[in-house]
């Protein structure tokens, strides 16, 4: 097993002093897909946002414990959150393309960060990695808003890839998509896991079982069980996990 690229140690996250995540310790392996599952409001998205310090942007949010990226504390006083986010791309539940051209959507991150290389090559490579290039290569000046929902989500993935992160965080990336678009995104994740570490939050347990190698089950902000996905779904150690993955949860 590879060394973890991300790790939480006794992590608790609070909103206005009220805990949303409690004492969570887990490791995300380098390359591959880790799923976070659990009922609504259990802290899945909060935990995901801790990996790229997005919770810093929420008023009243605070944390206790440690989040490590390749062994370094990302919340250390001398760490710039912008540097963390450059290494850790984020794809949200609802596709959120900028109201700009397809090209400018993908080029935006490298441009504002002063990328010195060939921007056209970076844009094309990112779109190819997101399995979108062949569909948009002749439409690069069109508004991204004109794309279908599934295409918009793949564009948002390309936009994240353009920053050349090592980690991609996905927060319910298929919940607003139709089954065909969902299948395209899942196929894409299978390809990307060879080069990136992916953490996906999903309500869809079938999706978690299909795409991930490791799964974390959260309930009420607490990590109930974490392990290999096949074990979580077929031989869970905790009764509460078994109740959830078999639909007897309540």
């Amino acid at each position: 097993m590879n060394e973890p690229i991300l790790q939480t140690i006794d992590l608790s996250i609070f909103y206005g002093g009220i805990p949303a995540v409690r004492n969570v310790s887990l490791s995300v392996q380098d390359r591959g897909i880790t799923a976070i599952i659990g009922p609504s409001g259990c802290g899945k998205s909060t935990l995901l946002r801790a990996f790229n310090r997005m919770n810093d942007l929420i008023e009243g949010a605070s944390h206790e414990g440690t989040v490590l990226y390749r062994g370094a504390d990302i919340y250390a006083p001398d760490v710039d959150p912008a540097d963390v986010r450059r290494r850790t791309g984020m794809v949200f539940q609802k596709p959120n393309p900028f109201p700009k051209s397809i090209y400018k959507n993908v080029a935006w991150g490298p441009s504002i960060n002063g990328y010195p290389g060939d921007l056209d090559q970076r844009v094309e490579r990112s779109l190819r990695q997101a399995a979108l290039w062949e569909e948009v290569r002749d439409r690069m000046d069109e508004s991204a808003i004109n794309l279908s929902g599934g295409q918009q989500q793949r564009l948002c993935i390309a936009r994240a890839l353009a920053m050349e992160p090592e980690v991609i965080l996905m927060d319910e990336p298929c919940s607003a998509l139709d089954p065909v678009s969902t299948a395209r995104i899942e196929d894409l994740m299978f390809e990307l896991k060879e080069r990136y570490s992916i953490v996906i939050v999903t309500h869809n347990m079938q999706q978690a079982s299909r795409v991930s190698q490791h799964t974390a089950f959260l309930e009420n902000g607490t990590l109930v069980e974490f392990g290999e996905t096949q074990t979580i779904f077929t031989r869970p150690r905790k009764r509460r996990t078994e109740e959830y993955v078999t639909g007897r949860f309540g």
Side-chain angles (χ1 to χ4, degrees):
M1 183 177 289
N2 296 332
E3 288 298 311
I5 190 169
L6 291 168
Q7 190 174 11
T8 67
I9 303 171
D10 294 330
L11 177 66
S12 297
I13 303 170
F14 307 87
Y15 296 131
I18 300 171
V21 169
R22 298 177 175 88
N23 301 314
V24 169
S25 297
L26 58 79
S27 298
V28 174
Q29 298 304 310
D30 193 3
R31 306 200 181 177
I33 302 173
T34 298
I36 304 175
I37 63 172
S40 296
C42 71
K44 301 186 298 295
S45 294
T46 295
L47 176 60
L48 189 75
R49 290 193 299 265
F51 289 129
N52 72 343
R53 296 191 54 168
M54 289 288 285
N55 292 321
D56 292 12
L57 307 176
I58 300 174
E59 185 175 354
S62 61
H63 81 282
E64 296 175 356
T66 305
V67 182
L68 301 177
Y69 174 88
R70 296 201 180 280
D73 184 357
I74 68 170
Y75 287 89
D78 60 341
V79 173
D80 182 352
D83 288 336
V84 174
R85 293 173 195 141
R86 275 192 283 270
R87 297 190 184 99
T88 311
M90 187 88 175
V91 178
F92 295 94
Q93 180 173 1
K94 184 178 179 181
N96 60 340
F98 302 141
K100 301 176 182 294
S101 70
I102 293 168
Y103 182 93
K104 287 183 177 178
N105 263 268
V106 183
W108 180 78
S111 296
I112 66 169
N113 285 279
Y115 175 62
D118 187 320
L119 198 55
D120 290 350
Q121 287 185 359
R122 175 71 71 91
V123 170
E124 179 178 341
R125 185 170 73 246
S126 301
L127 287 167
R128 285 187 183 278
Q129 286 183 315
L132 190 58
W133 172 251
E134 296 300 329
E135 296 169 49
V136 302
R137 59 187 302 175
D138 299 321
R139 305 169 57 188
M140 300 296 282
D141 293 330
E142 281 188 32
S143 172
I145 305 301
N146 295 335
L147 296 173
S148 70
Q151 288 174 326
Q152 287 185 9
Q153 193 65 299
R154 279 182 283 147
L155 180 69
C156 292
I157 293 171
R159 192 172 66 195
L161 294 175
M163 290 301 297
E164 296 192 331
E166 290 190 274
V167 178
I168 304 170
L169 307 177
M170 295 184 167
D171 193 355
E172 293 278 0
C174 301
S175 64
L177 304 180
D178 61 77
V180 173
S181 296
T182 295
R184 293 291 297 275
I185 297 293
E186 290 184 4
D187 288 343
L188 175 58
M189 290 170 63
F190 276 115
E191 295 175 17
L192 293 175
K193 74 178 183 179
E194 301 302 322
R195 299 187 295 274
Y196 301 93
S197 304
I198 299 172
V199 185
I200 178 174
V201 161
T202 180
H203 279 102
N204 186 328
M205 286 184 287
Q206 289 76 24
Q207 182 175 68
S209 66
R210 283 194 300 266
V211 304
S212 69
Q213 289 75 57
H214 294 86
T215 296
F217 168 48
L218 267 64
E219 183 185 13
N220 296 324
T222 300
L223 181 63
V224 177
E225 189 166 349
F226 176 64
E228 293 186 0
T229 296
Q230 185 176 6
T231 300
I232 293 292
F233 281 91
T234 61
R235 302 183 307 280
R237 291 180 292 108
K238 300 294 181 67
R239 179 180 175 185
R240 199 64 173 152
T241 308
E242 182 180 5
E243 291 174 343
Y244 186 71
V245 300
T246 56
R248 300 198 304 272
F249 193 83

